[in-house]
Amino acid sequence: MTTRTIEIAVGIFVALGLAGLFMLAMQVSNISEYRNTDGYTVHAYFNNIGGLKVRAPVTVSGVRVGRVTAIRYDPERYQARVEMTISANHDYLPADTQASIYTAGLLGEQYIALEPGGEDDVLVHGSEIYYTQSAFVLEEIIGRIMVNMTTH
Amino acid sequence: MLGPLQRLGRWGLGVFERLGRGHLFLLRILLSLGVAVTRPRLVIKELYSVGVLSLLIIAVSGLFVGMVLGYQGYITLVKFGAEEALGSVVALSLVRELGPVVTALLFAGRAGSALTAEIGLMKTTEQLSGMEMMAVDPVKRVIVPRFVAAFISLPLLAAIFSAVAVMGGYFIGVGLLGVDAGSYWSQMQANVDFYKDVMNGIIKSLVFGFVVAWIAVFEGHDTVPTSEGMSRSTTRTVVHSALAVLALDFILTGLMFGDI
């Protein structure tokens, strides 16, 4: 085996290994989502976020426009504070936009749906979304129905 | 009465002595690493015998592991009507665990044992002492290129393994069992995080590559220069590498994914 053949074989091996890594990064994982992180951040307070997770999608009419970047509990307002980053090309959302937490499918992951309002001012970096609707918690609804049925 | 205690003590001393020699040897390797930069040809030659020749077994095993994962994942998931999640099941188990671990085990059997046997035979036939007589440092000339080649090869092989296995799962899941191709890939991309999953898998394979390469060259260099000693060293390389990889995998998994 000549040195040249060996070197070519090693070259192919290294190229294959890097191609494997590239495929794992681009095709298998979500690295493409990390690239366009430029956007503006808004926050909203929810009474109950259900099973919402960081990096959950933020959608308008079902179209994905951003994602949840941070969730923490605000001890002064006794509410959950959810921060979301919306990509910069969706800078037309009115200031009175409503944010609701919905579930994709019966057991699917939860996401935030934005419903644009009618104001002329738009959401900018650091704005708060005032109109929010908490996650749908099955036990709560069943509890309410039970109370209604027993009181009548 | 004191006999068994003495035997236990002798055994313990032997273990610690070997551990100490192993670490001193590693220190010598690390101090001589520069030769891999100044004489890259030596490393390339070893990359061929360690990496390129392991390619076939890694790719074939990857394909079959992926196909089995596709089958088993589908059989379990279809009970819950969640067969669309097959892509994320296959990819997560591969990039987090099976890719690095199975590759390291196969690599220890295929390349680690060969390295030990090669170096051990060099020592038994006194080639290493011969080099020293000629003022050639055998650690620089023989050990470091093999160590570096094994350390580089394992992460690359693990990446190839995972990529081929994901394709194997695709062939079975999408081609044979009728999972939708779009949801196979989109579920995968939705649930596999680049930093948390893929990067941690790469870190794992780097650690395994280091440990397997270290054990293989040390066992070869530390062999008792007889035919029996060589067969023991070769066996020990495979056994110790497998144990070290599995134990380290447990520890690394606890560190990386334990906080969820």
Side-chain angles (χ1 to χ4, degrees):
Chain A
M1 185 90 62
T2 61
T3 318
R4 190 178 146 76
T5 332
I6 288 177
E7 283 177 353
I8 291 172
V10 171
I12 293 171
F13 166 60
V14 174
L16 270 180
L18 294 179
L21 274 181
F22 184 73
M23 177 188 159
L24 289 183
M26 303 310 290
Q27 186 73 27
V28 174
S29 81
N30 56 354
I31 194 172
S32 46
E33 286 174 23
Y34 282 101
R35 275 180 307 184
N36 44 4
T37 44
D38 55 325
Y40 60 99
T41 305
V42 298
H43 63 274
Y45 290 93
F46 291 93
N47 287 323
N48 190 337
I49 60 164
L52 191 72
K53 299 248 166 45
V54 172
R55 296 189 4 84
V58 176
T59 62
V60 180
S61 304
V63 180
R64 185 180 178 135
V65 296
R67 63 170 195 269
V68 174
T69 46
I71 298 174
R72 65 182 179 84
Y73 185 69
D74 189 329
E76 283 162 21
R77 297 181 55 150
Y78 296 109
Q79 278 180 318
R81 183 190 152 105
V82 175
E83 265 180 32
M84 53 201 115
T85 300
I86 299 171
S87 54
N89 47 349
H90 300 287
D91 56 354
Y92 43 75
L93 293 169
D96 59 345
T97 292
Q98 186 190 336
S100 321
I101 299 178
Y102 290 136
T103 308
L106 196 59
L107 299 166
E109 60 171 346
Q110 293 190 298
Y111 65 98
I112 292 188
L114 299 178
E115 281 144 47
E119 259 185 49
D120 287 339
D121 295 341
V122 293
L123 289 173
V124 292
H125 187 78
S127 310
E128 183 185 338
I129 298 179
Y130 294 99
Y131 303 103
T132 62
Q133 188 191 319
S134 289
F136 172 88
V137 180
L138 202 60
E139 287 88 334
E140 230 172 65
I141 309 290
I142 292 174
R144 249 181 248 161
I145 294 172
M146 297 282 274
V147 170
N148 281 347
M149 283 169 71
T150 46
T151 48
H152 287 309
Chain B
M1 167 69 192
L2 288 177
L5 260 183
Q6 190 194 353
R7 273 202 295 279
L8 184 69
R10 198 190 300 150
W11 177 80
L13 280 176
V15 168
F16 283 115
E17 199 195 324
R18 271 183 69 78
L19 263 179
R21 254 183 301 156
H23 282 85
L24 286 176
F25 186 64
L26 179 66
L27 197 67
R28 263 178 84 191
I29 294 177
L30 295 181
L31 288 177
S32 324
L33 271 185
V35 75
V37 183
T38 49
R39 299 185 67 184
R41 296 233 153 178
L42 290 176
V43 180
I44 288 179
K45 195 167 153 284
E46 294 309 322
L47 266 177
Y48 178 78
S49 58
V50 167
V52 176
L53 295 182
S54 308
L55 206 53
L56 191 66
I57 186 174
I58 294 292
V60 172
S61 320
L63 188 67
F64 278 103
V65 167
M67 294 200 295
V68 169
L69 272 178
Y71 260 125
Q72 293 286 10
Y74 183 84
I75 291 166
T76 312
L77 287 170
V78 80
K79 281 185 198 160
F80 306 101
E83 67 268 24
E84 309 296 315
L86 182 67
S88 58
V89 170
V90 170
L92 278 181
S93 42
L94 278 170
V95 296
R96 282 185 182 175
E97 293 294 338
L98 287 177
V101 173
V102 176
T103 309
L105 295 179
L106 288 171
F107 186 77
R110 165 67 184 77
S113 58
L115 282 180
T116 306
E118 198 182 3
I119 298 172
L121 192 67
M122 282 185 180
K123 186 183 178 188
T124 311
T125 54
E126 298 183 336
Q127 293 181 44
L128 296 184
S129 335
M131 282 184 189
E132 272 172 11
M133 295 292 287
M134 293 188 289
V136 175
D137 185 358
V139 170
K140 281 188 182 161
R141 179 65 180 75
V142 174
I143 307 287
V144 167
R146 286 169 172 74
F147 178 83
V148 172
F151 177 60
I152 296 175
S153 296
L154 188 45
L156 293 174
L157 289 172
I160 294 173
F161 182 95
S162 296
V164 171
V166 166
M167 294 311 294
Y170 178 85
F171 292 146
I172 293 300
V174 177
L176 201 65
L177 299 171
V179 175
D180 181 52
S183 43
Y184 184 83
W185 293 115
S186 70
Q187 280 282 328
M188 196 181 285
Q189 287 170 5
N191 289 307
V192 180
D193 189 80
F194 180 70
Y195 293 100
K196 225 179 72 199
D197 298 321
V198 177
M199 276 313 228
N200 278 343
I202 294 172
I203 293 171
K204 268 186 183 177
S205 59
L206 285 170
V207 173
F208 296 161
F210 187 84
V211 171
V212 172
W214 176 22
I215 291 177
V217 294
F218 173 66
E219 291 291 354
H221 191 260
D222 198 54
T223 190
V224 180
T226 58
S227 36
E228 194 200 353
M230 268 190 57
S231 88
R232 274 207 200 160
S233 304
T234 318
T235 311
R236 263 206 304 259
T237 296
V238 177
V239 173
H240 287 186
S241 299
L243 290 178
V245 163
L246 293 171
L248 273 173
D249 181 52
F250 175 71
I251 296 170
L252 286 174
T253 304
L255 288 176
M256 288 165 173
F257 304 105
D259 56 338
I260 303 169

